[in-house]
Amino acid sequence: SQQGEEDPQALSIQEGENATMNCSYKTSINNLQWYRQNSGRGLVHLILIRSNEREKHSGRLRVTLDTSKKSSSLLITASRAADTASYFCATDKGNEKLTFGTGTRLTIIP
Amino acid sequence: DGGITQSPKYLFRKEGQNVTLSCEQNLNHDAMYWYRQDPGQGLRLIYYSQIVNDFQKGDIAEGYSVSREKKESFPLTVTSAQKNPTAFYLCASTGRFYGYTFGSGTRLTVV
C-alpha cells in the first residue's frame, strides 16, 4: 500500500530556481524520510525528519513536517542540473519498515 | 568501503524458471529489505528481515521467497508462481534510527 503521495508528479524548472515538492500521508508516523533516485539507479537517502520536528536543513535542502495536516515538503534551493532525478518521500510508523510514495520527477533545465 | 552490493545488474528469466537475486551488505546492519519498482511507480515491499533467521512478508510477497542465514546476506528468489516478474528490484538495509542504504538494483526481464 502507498502511504505517501507526492505532488506534483513531475516538475520542470530552470537551473538556479528553487524546487518544492510535497508529500501527504495517511496514518501517524514516527519519522518521514526523503530519497533521491537517478534513472536506473538505487535510492539515496537525503534527510530524515522525526515526528516531533517541524523543520530540518541539510545543505541546499529544507524539509518541513506538519503532522496535523499529515504533510511534508522538500525544498531544493538554487537548483543544479545534477539535481535532475526522482524524489520520494517515505514514512516510518516506528517499526523501521518504510512505505514509499509514488515520487516526483524533477527536471532541471540548464 | 561499506555498502550494499546487488547482483546481477541485469537478469533474464524464462517462463517457469526460478531465479535468485543476490544482496550482500558490509554495514553491520540488522535489518534488510526487498522492494519492487515498476516503471514510473514507487517502491513496494516484498519481504523484510530484522534479524538473522527471521523474515516477514511485505505487501506483495506472493511468488517470492527469501532466506536470512547470515547477517550480511538476504537473497531473493523469484519463483515461477510470480506471473509478472519483470521489474526493477531494490535491496536495502538500515541501522537503527537512520535512513536506508540501497543497492544499485537488479533489472529482471522475462523472455
Side-chain angles (χ1 to χ4, degrees):
Chain A
S1 60
Q2 298 287 351
Q3 160 81 312
E5 294 290 334
E6 284 91 339
D7 170 57
Q9 289 188 335
L11 178 63
S12 293
I13 61 172
Q14 294 291 133
E15 191 169 16
E17 294 181 340
N18 296 342
T20 300
M21 52 205 89
N22 304 294
C23 169
S24 60
Y25 57 92
K26 298 174 183 174
T27 63
S28 296
I29 61 171
N30 179 273
N31 67 71
L32 185 144
Q33 304 175 31
W34 285 90
Y35 289 80
R36 183 186 74 231
Q37 184 181 34
N38 291 92
S39 182
R41 307 294 297 273
L43 278 72
V44 174
H45 179 252
L46 296 176
I47 198 165
L48 180 154
I49 187 166
R50 304 189 193 288
S51 60
N52 61 352
E53 297 176 309
R54 292 297 167 258
E55 188 171 313
K56 205 161 183 180
H57 297 254
S58 177
R60 294 184 296 113
L61 305 180
R62 172 177 169 254
V63 169
T64 62
L65 179 64
D66 186 336
T67 52
S68 66
K69 295 182 179 178
K70 292 187 170 58
S71 67
S72 174
S73 67
L74 171 67
L75 168 67
I76 303 173
T77 61
S79 62
R80 304 168 182 170
D83 294 329
T84 293
S86 292
Y87 291 82
F88 294 89
C89 69
T91 53
D92 179 357
K93 292 188 279 189
N95 56 5
E96 294 188 334
K97 188 176 69 167
L98 289 183
T99 302
F100 286 82
T102 51
T104 292
R105 181 181 295 274
L106 175 65
T107 302
I108 308 300
I109 304 167
Chain B
D1 193 18
I4 294 186
T5 301
Q6 287 188 242
S7 62
K9 190 174 177 67
Y10 299 97
L11 187 58
F12 298 91
R13 193 193 93 166
K14 296 179 181 179
E15 296 286 345
Q17 188 180 45
N18 292 355
V19 292
T20 297
L21 285 60
S22 171
C23 178
E24 303 276 334
Q25 55 102 356
N26 61 2
L27 299 165
N28 200 34
H29 286 167
D30 287 316
M32 297 186 74
Y33 307 82
W34 275 105
Y35 284 88
R36 168 180 172 143
Q37 186 177 32
D38 292 285
Q41 302 293 314
L43 281 67
R44 292 184 290 168
L45 182 63
I46 305 172
Y47 268 99
Y48 65 103
S49 168
Q50 294 180 318
I51 195 168
V52 175
N53 292 322
D54 187 49
F55 49 83
Q56 307 294 328
K57 291 182 179 180
D59 299 317
I60 55 165
E62 185 175 351
Y64 301 96
S65 66
V66 294
S67 63
R68 187 85 187 276
E69 297 176 1
K70 297 187 301 181
K71 188 175 186 178
E72 301 80 16
S73 179
F74 191 40
L76 172 74
T77 296
V78 184
T79 75
S80 57
Q82 172 49 242
K83 298 306 179 188
N84 184 24
T86 294
F88 190 48
Y89 290 86
L90 288 159
C91 179
S93 70
T94 185
R96 287 185 65 79
F97 309 122
Y98 295 98
Y100 284 12
T101 300
F102 279 85
S104 56
T106 292
R107 190 167 299 280
L108 174 63
T109 304
V110 174
V111 296

